[in-house]
Amino acid sequence: MKPLIGISTSRRTGWRVYPFIAFGVWLAGGRSVRWVAGKRAEVQHVDGVIVGGGDDISPELYGGDLIASAVLDPARDELEKCLVEEAMAQGKPVLGICRGAQMINVALGGDLHQDAYDHYNAHKHTTLLPKKDVRVEPGSRLGALAGLAPMRVNALHSQAVDRLGDGLRVAARDGSGMVQAVERVEEPFALGVQWHPEYLTYAHRQRALFRALVAAARASHEHRAQLPEVSAEAKA
């Protein structure tokens, strides 16, 4: 059984991104369908969800003030917030990539640093190449999946998680202390990373993220607990 994963992308630029994410899902043993704002997207018809990267999330979703540098996509904000909320309500697993990690946090009641690099006084990396180091938190599910050694990743984001959403914990930070990954503590499985693993699938640690989602989606489809399946995948 190949779990079906719904992948939300930008209506404007997602055609370039979707094939890379879909390839990561395929490598992990799943199949996928692309979702964009304005088209039908129903969580009940898939086994898991990936929220991809893209424009900034509007601070209107969490009560923040808009900054001049923000590039927004309100229709996509509405779609993806609903997708995360419905996935949690229906017990479907979610993987968030960059913007998607932030959306998991916002949909679960958290908020964001709109200009994270200014807040942390940190150097901003804007590259698809793996040039940024992140530190995986001991005891995290991400650590079990990808190991605790420092991880070299890419970075395109300007926003980052500030106050954590309900049921989430920090799974990785960079050297400045900025949150680089969050994960849900309990069922259903949810993991959000600030980097773009779809461009790093040559690395086994990045493929592990897609394998975890597909394992959780398979368990969801078969009405079994997801976290034990993710833990088993981590040990495989």
Side-chain angles (χ1 to χ4, degrees):
M1 177 264 175
K2 290 180 177 278
L4 179 61
I5 309 298
I7 302 174
S8 67
T9 66
S10 166
R11 187 182 183 94
R12 177 171 46 88
T13 62
W15 63 271
R16 297 196 302 260
V17 179
Y18 172 75
F20 289 94
I21 303 177
F23 180 63
V25 170
W26 178 81
L27 285 175
R31 52 199 176 98
S32 59
V33 59
R34 182 186 172 201
W35 288 336
V36 296
K39 299 291 185 178
R40 190 171 183 176
E42 296 188 8
V43 172
Q44 64 179 334
H45 292 157
V46 300
D47 304 305
V49 173
I50 294 179
V51 181
D55 294 331
D56 297 330
I57 294 172
S58 173
E60 292 184 357
L61 271 64
Y62 53 86
D65 296 322
L66 183 64
I67 63 174
S69 61
V71 180
L72 306 179
D73 187 343
R76 189 179 175 194
D77 285 347
E78 182 179 0
L79 167 68
E80 292 178 343
K81 185 172 184 290
C82 288
L83 290 177
V84 175
E85 291 172 342
E86 290 179 14
M88 295 298 98
Q90 296 179 31
K92 304 285 180 72
V94 180
L95 173 64
I97 295 174
C98 195
R99 166 194 166 93
Q102 300 159 11
M103 183 56 78
I104 289 173
N105 192 62
V106 168
L108 295 180
D111 61 19
L112 307 175
H113 292 298
Q114 288 190 70
D115 191 342
Y117 287 91
D118 181 68
H119 177 84
Y120 284 94
N121 192 28
H123 173 69
K124 185 174 182 178
H125 295 265
T126 305
T127 174
L128 289 178
L129 300 175
K131 291 188 174 182
K132 181 172 185 174
D133 291 321
V134 300
R135 182 183 69 251
V136 180
E137 294 291 323
S140 65
R141 191 162 292 111
L142 175 62
L145 288 166
L148 294 176
M151 183 183 292
R152 182 63 64 93
V153 299
N154 50 23
L156 297 174
H157 66 95
S158 56
Q159 299 186 329
V161 168
D162 181 9
R163 179 173 51 83
L164 284 171
D166 295 338
L168 297 179
R169 65 186 174 196
V170 175
R173 297 181 186 270
D174 66 15
S176 72
M178 189 189 306
V179 175
Q180 293 295 315
V182 294
E183 61 187 28
R184 186 169 162 85
V185 178
E186 299 178 348
E187 301 272 350
F189 171 79
L191 171 66
V193 297
Q194 283 278 198
W195 61 90
H196 288 262
E198 71 272 27
Y199 300 126
L200 305 172
T201 50
Y202 58 84
H204 71 92
R205 300 178 76 184
Q206 305 304 323
R207 293 195 301 273
L209 309 185
F210 293 103
R211 290 198 305 270
L213 176 73
V214 169
R218 184 176 293 109
S220 173
H221 181 86
E222 297 172 357
H223 305 290
R224 295 183 287 107
Q226 297 167 32
L227 298 186
E229 292 299 314
V230 172
S231 295
E233 180 61 41
K235 297 175 182 177

